[in-house]
Amino acid sequence: QVQLVESGGGLVQAGGSLRLSCAASGRTFSSYAMGWFRQVPGKEREFVAAISKSGGNTDYADSVRGRFTTSRDNVKNTVYLQMSSLKPEDTAVYYCAADRNVRSMAVPGSIRQYDYDYWGQGTQVTVSS
């Protein structure tokens, strides 16, 4: 089992940047492919980005590709989401999640939220216009 804690959210102006962190407990962090999702009230949680267990491969939603970058440090048991050129429509609660079902070290986590086994509590990101 792994516990996930997000941090780094906040209020930023449009065009600005934020870096989210997701710290994982336990010694098996590198066994999980990781994903980032976001949710606004009244809407389904949506996929943002995912990264493989090795950190060598990533996947992004079209809405954030070229603006967001995810990375991980398996020594620090942490996954990151660097967000740049932020837009008001990026406002949401952001969650990190761990997917234990990906066997390959090179395959990013799933784009489907129901494939993930563990979730953080979320961190609010608000982008003002």
Side-chain angles (χ1 to χ4, degrees):
Q1 189 170 352
V2 63
Q3 292 183 324
L4 305 172
V5 179
E6 301 98 335
S7 62
L11 174 64
V12 63
Q13 288 190 331
S17 299
L18 279 175
R19 187 176 82 155
L20 305 184
S21 299
C22 173
S25 65
R27 296 177 291 178
T28 60
F29 177 66
S30 60
S31 300
Y32 299 91
M34 300 296 295
W36 289 95
F37 290 77
R38 65 187 182 187
Q39 189 172 25
V40 298
K43 290 192 174 182
E44 279 275 311
R45 194 170 294 185
E46 68 169 351
F47 170 75
V48 175
I51 189 165
S52 61
K53 292 191 282 189
S54 69
N57 290 289
T58 55
D59 192 13
Y60 297 94
D62 289 343
S63 58
V64 306
R65 194 183 309 273
R67 300 187 298 120
F68 290 13
T69 302
T70 188
S71 61
R72 66 190 295 164
D73 185 331
N74 286 342
V75 174
K76 295 183 178 179
N77 284 5
T78 303
V79 61
Y80 305 98
L81 184 67
Q82 177 67 49
M83 305 185 294
S84 302
S85 302
L86 282 161
K87 305 175 181 180
E89 51 263 43
D90 293 319
T91 295
V93 177
Y94 283 72
Y95 299 88
C96 67
D99 182 352
R100 65 183 176 184
N101 298 307
V102 178
R103 292 187 178 184
S104 169
M105 292 295 291
V107 174
S110 172
I111 65 171
R112 297 181 297 268
Q113 60 170 316
Y114 300 107
D115 289 338
Y116 287 82
D117 305 285
Y118 304 105
W119 291 84
Q121 83 288 352
T123 186
Q124 176 70 46
V125 172
T126 303
V127 184
S128 63
S129 57

